[in-house]
Amino acid sequence: QLVESGGGSEQTGGSLRLSCAASGTIYSTQCMGWFRQVPGKGREAVAAADADRRTIYGDFVEGRFTIDRDNARNILYLRMHDLKPEDTAMYYCAAPMARWVVASPLGALEYHYWGQGTQVTVS
């Protein structure tokens, strides 16, 4: 189970920190990702981090976001700075099934478990 939190409304240039609490043992050994989606558009990859905390980001991030994970507490984070109105979206945490080897960390099809999402609105 994946449960996101930390979304909300923020002004342009502001910051937010999203959290994703993961249950089960999958989290500690698997790559995890953040995606976002706006109504009428497909899901867009934001960032991913593997179990060794190696990270990869979508091109639009441009150094504004940082993904990190606390493997001991089973929490995935997304720190967002210099927020822009175009960052407005529902943000989802994602994890693959057990023993799945993620070949493309920014590919949504690599992930099988999704949280319910947390809304981020930037004005």
Side-chain angles (χ1 to χ4, degrees), residues 17 25 41-42 46 59-60 78 112 118:
R17 188 185 77 166
T25 59
K41 293 189 176 181
V46 179
D59 290 341
F60 69 89
L78 183 68
H112 308 96
T118 185

Side-chain angles (χ1 to χ4, degrees), residues 7-8 29-30 37 47 50 68 78 117:
T29 61
Q30 293 287 81
Q37 189 170 22
D50 69 10
D68 198 7
L78 183 68

Side-chain angles (χ1 to χ4, degrees), residues 36-44:
R36 69 185 188 181
Q37 189 170 22
V38 298
K41 293 189 176 181
R43 201 157 285 189
E44 180 179 38

